[in-house]
Amino acid sequence: MITASILCLVCMAWMAARIWRRSAMLALVSVLAWPLLFFACVRFWDDELSDIRLPFAMFIPAIWMVGVLA
């Protein structure tokens, strides 16, 4: 559970860094309220500079693991 939690935090930081390149406010809000990452995911899905597909794909199983193991 600790490993999955750390992976979630790393993925959130990675996504926030990518989102920050386009919108600093959206990056801050998505870190504070992580369900807004879904909005950022839709907005920046195929953006070359802010592509968050890989960190988001790693975040979903990690957050599921935290929920299952808790």
Side-chain angles (χ1 to χ4, degrees):
M1 183 166 133
I2 293 172
T3 306
S5 298
I6 292 171
L7 183 60
C8 284
L9 291 174
V10 168
C11 287
M12 285 182 65
W14 188 6
M15 287 187 282
R18 294 257 178 137
I19 295 168
W20 188 278
R21 295 176 184 172
R22 292 288 186 200
S23 173
M25 183 60 79
L26 183 58
L28 290 174
V29 171
S30 64
V31 168
L32 296 174
W34 67 265
L36 288 176
L37 285 173
F38 293 108
F39 172 73
C41 187
V42 169
R43 187 165 180 197
F44 299 121
W45 186 258
D46 204 21
D47 188 0
E48 185 176 316
L49 187 61
S50 301
D51 190 13
I52 62 171
R53 284 183 279 186
L54 180 61
F56 188 75
M58 292 173 60
F59 176 75
I60 294 298
I63 198 74
W64 178 77
M65 291 272 302
V66 169
V68 168
L69 297 174

